[in-house]
Amino acid sequence: MMSGLGIFSGIEVLFFWLGVLCLATVQGLIWLRIKHNASWLSLAVLAMGCGTMIFDIAWAVSSVLEKEPQSASMSVLVIFLPGLLIAIWGARLAMRKPTIAPSIATES
């Protein structure tokens, strides 16, 4: 059975979009490091969350292509949602303003 994309089946389209998502994630991490001076710890947490979500997207789409929709829905609950929470935590850490130590602020 052919999809609407001609010669491409579902798995080729999946790998193309996974590549796009990975590139966008890396570019976003670089942007956060340069523009917002995000710490390496926050970038590592954010990368872990985004990587977990990308892994789940691959799992869910391949499960649907293999006609296993229950596996896809369970992976969203068990893998994607924790990845989303980790990514939100990493983004909040990355966007946080740096704090000035009280001893440095009072020595002027």
Side-chain angles (χ1 to χ4, degrees), residues 3 9 17 19 28 30 35-37 44 59 68 70 72 75 87 94 100:
S3 66
S9 67
W17 284 110
I30 292 170
K35 294 292 183 183
H36 291 279
N37 199 18
W59 183 301
E68 294 288 342
Q70 289 178 335
S75 73
I100 300 173

Side-chain angles (χ1 to χ4, degrees), residues 21-45:
L21 283 173
C22 288
L23 178 65
T25 299
V26 170
Q27 286 181 339
L29 293 172
I30 292 170
W31 179 81
L32 278 172
R33 178 69 183 154
I34 292 172
K35 294 292 183 183
H36 291 279
N37 199 18
S39 69
W40 290 106
L41 176 65
S42 65
L43 294 177
V45 171

Side-chain angles (χ1 to χ4, degrees), residues 4-93:
L5 297 171
I7 62 170
F8 298 113
S9 67
I11 202 72
E12 285 91 1
V13 175
L14 169 68
F15 281 115
F16 173 77
W17 284 110
L18 287 177
V20 170
L21 283 173
C22 288
L23 178 65
T25 299
V26 170
Q27 286 181 339
L29 293 172
I30 292 170
W31 179 81
L32 278 172
R33 178 69 183 154
I34 292 172
K35 294 292 183 183
H36 291 279
N37 199 18
S39 69
W40 290 106
L41 176 65
S42 65
L43 294 177
V45 171
L46 184 57
M48 186 173 66
C50 289
T52 304
M53 290 189 298
I54 291 170
F55 172 76
D56 178 67
I57 291 169
W59 183 301
V61 171
S62 63
S63 294
V64 169
L65 290 174
E66 293 174 0
K67 296 179 178 40
E68 294 288 342
Q70 289 178 335
S71 173
S73 62
M74 285 302 295
S75 73
V76 170
L77 291 174
V78 175
I79 301 171
F80 190 85
L81 289 179
L84 180 64
L85 293 175
I86 293 170
I88 290 171
W89 179 43
R92 288 178 59 101
L93 286 174

